[in-house]
């Protein structure tokens, strides 16, 4: 039965309660905050090994939670990654194969997002920051489960003028819900913290879901003057990237202080991750971020493009100061949150699996027998230790635990593995 039609039949006595809300009204649900950074390199946090950066607030989440070291984005670019996060499905199952640009179609409105799931369970829902999943009536945030939206629909914007930072003609990009708003000269990361704080002020006494989707450290690199001065001795363009990343860390700290202000830390699940690896685009000065030992960057399906920092924290409820090495993906947050919030499993197909067995035990196996990616003519399947990359004119096979830098192509040495994984991959894509 359609949940919304069911609600309509309940009458005035059930006003304000959803199907799930009625079932679970007797128990207060935890708040949920997802903090999503943009184009943050695979190792660009102190707890992931960066020695030239300062990221105390991001690292504090690892101190209070579980940090993953083999965590993957569902896609190597901004929009596909967000499909994986919000729908629990691969971008292809979620109806979006690449980035959304002005004039292009977004993620289909029929997709069920985690925001819709939580809204149906009685949560107040808000997206503060970057959307990048569509511009039409049913593909904007308010059409995909968010009660409130403040930010930009497009992939990036100048943090002071709030104009789309891409090609001309310039286009103003700042919105509140479905209406354009103008705040010229006001620094967007500060506006994000202000808007998020006001949302928490308003909803502190009831469960809320806040998707805090930063544009940092995505280009344009516009760190605060203080951080630019702090990193002035780093080589270019690392200095510019570092300043914008530490600015993000500072704003995350301000958001966490708001949670602490109302003593909500033990009532709030916080998920942190980057959307994909660091950028080497010309607008990003051809670099600045770091994949450390991993090969590749944003836009590629090598480890450096999709292997990302990720943390979950819920003090008093989940393990703290622990690390998990099992493979996981951002599609997995959707079913994990449903389980943590004691909601029924999704009523439709997900590609994600609950991470609760892994979160509880460092010895639990990954829930993914296989996982699949496709982007820009490259098809990838991960199965156990093996990762197969299929390009138009070549095939590469890597033993990821032994060779995380993907430096030794074993395709010729193990043709039987290549053939087996090709069949698995073909079967998956033929089912799309």
């Amino acid at each position: 039965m359609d949940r919304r039609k069911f609600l309509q039949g309940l009458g005035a006595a059930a006003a304000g309660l959803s199907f799930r809300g009625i079932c679970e009204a007797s128990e207060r649900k935890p708040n949920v905050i997802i903090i999503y950074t943009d184009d943050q390199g695979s190792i660009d946090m102190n707890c992931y090994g960066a020695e030239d950066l300062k990221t105390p607030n991001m690292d504090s989440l690892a101190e209070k939670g579980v940090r993953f070291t083999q965590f993957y984005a569902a896609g190597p670019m901004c929009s596909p990654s967000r499909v994986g996060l919000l729908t629990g499905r691969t971008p292809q199952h979620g109806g979006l194969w690449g980035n959304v640009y002005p004039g292009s179609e977004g993620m289909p409105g029929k997709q069920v997002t985690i925001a819709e799931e939580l809204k149906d369970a009685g949560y107040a829902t808000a997206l503060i920051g970057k959307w990048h999943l569509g511009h039409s009536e049913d593909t904007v945030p308010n059409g995909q489960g968010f009660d409130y939206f403040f930010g930009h629909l497009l992939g990036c914007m100048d943090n002071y003028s709030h104009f789309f930072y891409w090609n001309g003609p310039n286009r103003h990009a700042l919105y509140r819900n479905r209406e354009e708003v103008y705040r010229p000269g006001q620094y967007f990361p500060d506006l994000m913290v202000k808007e998020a704080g006001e949302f928490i002020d308003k909803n502190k006494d009831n469960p809320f879901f806040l998707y805090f989707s930063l544009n940092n450290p995505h280009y344009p690199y516009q760190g605060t003057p203080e951080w630019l001065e702090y990193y002035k001795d780093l080589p270019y363009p690392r200095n510019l990237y570092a300043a914008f990343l530490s600015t993000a860390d500072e704003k995350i700290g301000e958001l966490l202080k708001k949670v602490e202000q109302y003593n909500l830390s033990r009532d709030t699940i916080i998920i942190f991750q980057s959307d994909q690896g660091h950028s080497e685009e010309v607008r990003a000065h051809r670099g600045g971020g770091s994949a450390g030992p991993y090969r590749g960057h944003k836009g590629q399906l090598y480890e450096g493009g999709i292997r990302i920092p990720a943390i979950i924290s819920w003090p008093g409820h989940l393990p703290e100061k622990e690390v998990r090495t099992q493979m996981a993906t951002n599609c997995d947050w959707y079913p994990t949150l449903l389980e943590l919030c004691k909601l029924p499993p999704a009523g439709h197909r997900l590609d994600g699996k609950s991470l609760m067995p892994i979160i509880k035990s460092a010895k639990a196996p990954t829930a993914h027998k296989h996982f699949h990616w496709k982007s820009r003519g490259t098809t990838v399947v991960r199965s156990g230790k093996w990762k197969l990359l299929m390009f138009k004119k070549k095939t590469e096979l890597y033993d990821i635990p032994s060779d995380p830098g993907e430096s030794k192509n074993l395709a010729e040495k193990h043709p039987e593995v290549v053939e087996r994984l090709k069949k698995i991959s073909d079967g998956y894509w033929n089912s799309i």
Side-chain angles (χ1 to χ4, degrees), residues 2-22:
D2 183 90
R3 289 176 301 211
R4 291 166 182 80
K5 290 182 180 179
F6 178 86
L7 293 176
Q8 291 171 2
L10 291 176
L17 288 178
S18 70
F19 176 71
R20 287 185 171 177
I22 291 169

PDB file of all heavy atoms in Angstrom, residues 2-22:
ATOM      1  N   ASP A   2       0.491   2.244  -0.784  1.00  0.00           N
ATOM      2  CA  ASP A   2       1.210   3.507  -0.799  1.00  0.00           C
ATOM      3  C   ASP A   2       1.080   4.199   0.548  1.00  0.00           C
ATOM      4  O   ASP A   2      -0.024   4.390   1.064  1.00  0.00           O
ATOM      5  CB  ASP A   2       0.649   4.411  -1.897  1.00  0.00           C
ATOM      6  CG  ASP A   2       1.424   5.706  -1.997  1.00  0.00           C
ATOM      7  OD1 ASP A   2       2.390   5.727  -2.758  1.00  0.00           O
ATOM      8  OD2 ASP A   2       1.033   6.663  -1.314  1.00  0.00           O
ATOM      9  N   ARG A   3       2.198   4.569   1.149  1.00  0.00           N
ATOM     10  CA  ARG A   3       2.168   5.135   2.504  1.00  0.00           C
ATOM     11  C   ARG A   3       1.377   6.418   2.567  1.00  0.00           C
ATOM     12  O   ARG A   3       0.669   6.700   3.528  1.00  0.00           O
ATOM     13  CB  ARG A   3       3.606   5.372   2.977  1.00  0.00           C
ATOM     14  CG  ARG A   3       4.337   4.102   3.268  1.00  0.00           C
ATOM     15  CD  ARG A   3       5.768   4.385   3.634  1.00  0.00           C
ATOM     16  NE  ARG A   3       6.457   5.075   2.566  1.00  0.00           N
ATOM     17  CZ  ARG A   3       7.750   4.937   2.323  1.00  0.00           C
ATOM     18  NH1 ARG A   3       8.471   4.144   3.054  1.00  0.00           N
ATOM     19  NH2 ARG A   3       8.327   5.610   1.339  1.00  0.00           N
ATOM     20  N   ARG A   4       1.511   7.248   1.524  1.00  0.00           N
ATOM     21  CA  ARG A   4       0.828   8.544   1.561  1.00  0.00           C
ATOM     22  C   ARG A   4      -0.683   8.367   1.454  1.00  0.00           C
ATOM     23  O   ARG A   4      -1.455   9.084   2.097  1.00  0.00           O
ATOM     24  CB  ARG A   4       1.397   9.419   0.451  1.00  0.00           C
ATOM     25  CG  ARG A   4       2.859   9.837   0.760  1.00  0.00           C
ATOM     26  CD  ARG A   4       3.556  10.402  -0.444  1.00  0.00           C
ATOM     27  NE  ARG A   4       4.947  10.741  -0.125  1.00  0.00           N
ATOM     28  CZ  ARG A   4       5.918   9.851  -0.068  1.00  0.00           C
ATOM     29  NH1 ARG A   4       5.666   8.587  -0.315  1.00  0.00           N
ATOM     30  NH2 ARG A   4       7.150  10.233   0.236  1.00  0.00           N
ATOM     31  N   LYS A   5      -1.141   7.424   0.620  1.00  0.00           N
ATOM     32  CA  LYS A   5      -2.567   7.154   0.527  1.00  0.00           C
ATOM     33  C   LYS A   5      -3.094   6.575   1.837  1.00  0.00           C
ATOM     34  O   LYS A   5      -4.210   6.865   2.262  1.00  0.00           O
ATOM     35  CB  LYS A   5      -2.840   6.176  -0.622  1.00  0.00           C
ATOM     36  CG  LYS A   5      -2.614   6.790  -2.002  1.00  0.00           C
ATOM     37  CD  LYS A   5      -2.934   5.798  -3.101  1.00  0.00           C
ATOM     38  CE  LYS A   5      -2.701   6.421  -4.480  1.00  0.00           C
ATOM     39  NZ  LYS A   5      -2.985   5.446  -5.558  1.00  0.00           N
ATOM     40  N   PHE A   6      -2.272   5.757   2.475  1.00  0.00           N
ATOM     41  CA  PHE A   6      -2.678   5.202   3.761  1.00  0.00           C
ATOM     42  C   PHE A   6      -2.910   6.311   4.775  1.00  0.00           C
ATOM     43  O   PHE A   6      -3.888   6.313   5.527  1.00  0.00           O
ATOM     44  CB  PHE A   6      -1.579   4.253   4.268  1.00  0.00           C
ATOM     45  CG  PHE A   6      -1.864   3.659   5.630  1.00  0.00           C
ATOM     46  CD1 PHE A   6      -2.621   2.508   5.757  1.00  0.00           C
ATOM     47  CD2 PHE A   6      -1.359   4.259   6.782  1.00  0.00           C
ATOM     48  CE1 PHE A   6      -2.857   1.963   7.013  1.00  0.00           C
ATOM     49  CE2 PHE A   6      -1.597   3.716   8.026  1.00  0.00           C
ATOM     50  CZ  PHE A   6      -2.356   2.557   8.145  1.00  0.00           C
ATOM     51  N   LEU A   7      -2.006   7.289   4.778  1.00  0.00           N
ATOM     52  CA  LEU A   7      -2.116   8.394   5.730  1.00  0.00           C
ATOM     53  C   LEU A   7      -3.383   9.202   5.497  1.00  0.00           C
ATOM     54  O   LEU A   7      -4.040   9.634   6.448  1.00  0.00           O
ATOM     55  CB  LEU A   7      -0.899   9.306   5.620  1.00  0.00           C
ATOM     56  CG  LEU A   7       0.431   8.695   6.068  1.00  0.00           C
ATOM     57  CD1 LEU A   7       1.550   9.686   5.798  1.00  0.00           C
ATOM     58  CD2 LEU A   7       0.370   8.315   7.515  1.00  0.00           C
ATOM     59  N   GLN A   8      -3.707   9.420   4.232  1.00  0.00           N
ATOM     60  CA  GLN A   8      -4.890  10.209   3.923  1.00  0.00           C
ATOM     61  C   GLN A   8      -6.146   9.565   4.493  1.00  0.00           C
ATOM     62  O   GLN A   8      -7.115  10.243   4.833  1.00  0.00           O
ATOM     63  CB  GLN A   8      -5.008  10.370   2.407  1.00  0.00           C
ATOM     64  CG  GLN A   8      -3.915  11.251   1.809  1.00  0.00           C
ATOM     65  CD  GLN A   8      -3.926  11.224   0.304  1.00  0.00           C
ATOM     66  OE1 GLN A   8      -4.774  10.577  -0.307  1.00  0.00           O
ATOM     67  NE2 GLN A   8      -2.972  11.921  -0.311  1.00  0.00           N
ATOM     68  N   GLY A   9      -6.144   8.243   4.612  1.00  0.00           N
ATOM     69  CA  GLY A   9      -7.318   7.541   5.109  1.00  0.00           C
ATOM     70  C   GLY A   9      -7.429   7.492   6.615  1.00  0.00           C
ATOM     71  O   GLY A   9      -8.412   6.987   7.156  1.00  0.00           O
ATOM     72  N   LEU A  10      -6.430   7.993   7.299  1.00  0.00           N
ATOM     73  CA  LEU A  10      -6.465   7.905   8.753  1.00  0.00           C
ATOM     74  C   LEU A  10      -7.338   8.979   9.393  1.00  0.00           C
ATOM     75  O   LEU A  10      -7.752   8.849  10.544  1.00  0.00           O
ATOM     76  CB  LEU A  10      -5.042   8.009   9.316  1.00  0.00           C
ATOM     77  CG  LEU A  10      -4.152   6.799   9.003  1.00  0.00           C
ATOM     78  CD1 LEU A  10      -2.750   7.060   9.515  1.00  0.00           C
ATOM     79  CD2 LEU A  10      -4.710   5.539   9.625  1.00  0.00           C
ATOM     80  N   GLY A  11      -7.553  10.074   8.652  1.00  0.00           N
ATOM     81  CA  GLY A  11      -8.413  11.120   9.195  1.00  0.00           C
ATOM     82  C   GLY A  11      -7.696  12.076  10.111  1.00  0.00           C
ATOM     83  O   GLY A  11      -6.517  11.957  10.395  1.00  0.00           O
ATOM     84  N   ALA A  12      -8.453  13.012  10.628  1.00  0.00           N
ATOM     85  CA  ALA A  12      -7.885  14.095  11.432  1.00  0.00           C
ATOM     86  C   ALA A  12      -7.254  13.597  12.711  1.00  0.00           C
ATOM     87  O   ALA A  12      -6.332  14.217  13.246  1.00  0.00           O
ATOM     88  CB  ALA A  12      -8.982  15.118  11.755  1.00  0.00           C
ATOM     89  N   ALA A  13      -7.720  12.486  13.245  1.00  0.00           N
ATOM     90  CA  ALA A  13      -7.190  11.991  14.509  1.00  0.00           C
ATOM     91  C   ALA A  13      -5.722  11.623  14.393  1.00  0.00           C
ATOM     92  O   ALA A  13      -4.996  11.642  15.385  1.00  0.00           O
ATOM     93  CB  ALA A  13      -7.980  10.775  14.981  1.00  0.00           C
ATOM     94  N   ALA A  14      -5.294  11.304  13.179  1.00  0.00           N
ATOM     95  CA  ALA A  14      -3.915  10.910  12.981  1.00  0.00           C
ATOM     96  C   ALA A  14      -3.083  12.023  12.350  1.00  0.00           C
ATOM     97  O   ALA A  14      -1.995  11.784  11.875  1.00  0.00           O
ATOM     98  CB  ALA A  14      -3.841   9.668  12.098  1.00  0.00           C
ATOM     99  N   ALA A  15      -3.603  13.239  12.332  1.00  0.00           N
ATOM    100  CA  ALA A  15      -2.908  14.342  11.681  1.00  0.00           C
ATOM    101  C   ALA A  15      -1.507  14.520  12.263  1.00  0.00           C
ATOM    102  O   ALA A  15      -1.314  14.495  13.470  1.00  0.00           O
ATOM    103  CB  ALA A  15      -3.696  15.640  11.860  1.00  0.00           C
ATOM    104  N   GLY A  16      -0.554  14.681  11.381  1.00  0.00           N
ATOM    105  CA  GLY A  16       0.825  14.903  11.816  1.00  0.00           C
ATOM    106  C   GLY A  16       1.606  13.630  12.014  1.00  0.00           C
ATOM    107  O   GLY A  16       2.804  13.679  12.257  1.00  0.00           O
ATOM    108  N   LEU A  17       0.940  12.473  11.944  1.00  0.00           N
ATOM    109  CA  LEU A  17       1.650  11.210  12.113  1.00  0.00           C
ATOM    110  C   LEU A  17       1.680  10.447  10.795  1.00  0.00           C
ATOM    111  O   LEU A  17       0.698  10.407  10.069  1.00  0.00           O
ATOM    112  CB  LEU A  17       0.971  10.336  13.171  1.00  0.00           C
ATOM    113  CG  LEU A  17       1.119  10.785  14.626  1.00  0.00           C
ATOM    114  CD1 LEU A  17       0.349   9.858  15.526  1.00  0.00           C
ATOM    115  CD2 LEU A  17       2.583  10.812  15.035  1.00  0.00           C
ATOM    116  N   SER A  18       2.820   9.857  10.474  1.00  0.00           N
ATOM    117  CA  SER A  18       2.938   9.037   9.284  1.00  0.00           C
ATOM    118  C   SER A  18       2.690   7.588   9.638  1.00  0.00           C
ATOM    119  O   SER A  18       2.531   7.221  10.803  1.00  0.00           O
ATOM    120  CB  SER A  18       4.339   9.182   8.695  1.00  0.00           C
ATOM    121  OG  SER A  18       5.269   8.564   9.555  1.00  0.00           O
ATOM    122  N   PHE A  19       2.678   6.736   8.623  1.00  0.00           N
ATOM    123  CA  PHE A  19       2.504   5.306   8.835  1.00  0.00           C
ATOM    124  C   PHE A  19       3.555   4.781   9.815  1.00  0.00           C
ATOM    125  O   PHE A  19       3.245   4.121  10.786  1.00  0.00           O
ATOM    126  CB  PHE A  19       2.617   4.590   7.491  1.00  0.00           C
ATOM    127  CG  PHE A  19       2.549   3.095   7.590  1.00  0.00           C
ATOM    128  CD1 PHE A  19       1.365   2.447   7.896  1.00  0.00           C
ATOM    129  CD2 PHE A  19       3.688   2.331   7.356  1.00  0.00           C
ATOM    130  CE1 PHE A  19       1.317   1.083   7.967  1.00  0.00           C
ATOM    131  CE2 PHE A  19       3.635   0.961   7.431  1.00  0.00           C
ATOM    132  CZ  PHE A  19       2.450   0.332   7.731  1.00  0.00           C
ATOM    133  N   ARG A  20       4.834   5.122   9.516  1.00  0.00           N
ATOM    134  CA  ARG A  20       5.890   4.660  10.416  1.00  0.00           C
ATOM    135  C   ARG A  20       5.832   5.394  11.741  1.00  0.00           C
ATOM    136  O   ARG A  20       6.116   4.844  12.796  1.00  0.00           O
ATOM    137  CB  ARG A  20       7.249   4.854   9.760  1.00  0.00           C
ATOM    138  CG  ARG A  20       7.490   3.847   8.662  1.00  0.00           C
ATOM    139  CD  ARG A  20       8.875   3.955   8.109  1.00  0.00           C
ATOM    140  NE  ARG A  20       9.144   2.845   7.217  1.00  0.00           N
ATOM    141  CZ  ARG A  20      10.264   2.694   6.527  1.00  0.00           C
ATOM    142  NH1 ARG A  20      11.203   3.592   6.635  1.00  0.00           N
ATOM    143  NH2 ARG A  20      10.440   1.660   5.732  1.00  0.00           N
ATOM    144  N   GLY A  21       5.435   6.670  11.686  1.00  0.00           N
ATOM    145  CA  GLY A  21       5.360   7.439  12.922  1.00  0.00           C
ATOM    146  C   GLY A  21       4.345   6.863  13.884  1.00  0.00           C
ATOM    147  O   GLY A  21       4.538   6.836  15.096  1.00  0.00           O
ATOM    148  N   ILE A  22       3.207   6.387  13.345  1.00  0.00           N
ATOM    149  CA  ILE A  22       2.177   5.785  14.186  1.00  0.00           C
ATOM    150  C   ILE A  22       2.687   4.497  14.822  1.00  0.00           C
ATOM    151  O   ILE A  22       2.504   4.236  16.009  1.00  0.00           O
ATOM    152  CB  ILE A  22       0.914   5.514  13.355  1.00  0.00           C
ATOM    153  CG1 ILE A  22       0.272   6.847  12.977  1.00  0.00           C
ATOM    154  CG2 ILE A  22      -0.079   4.647  14.103  1.00  0.00           C
ATOM    155  CD1 ILE A  22      -0.815   6.715  11.938  1.00  0.00           C
TER     156      ILE A  22
END
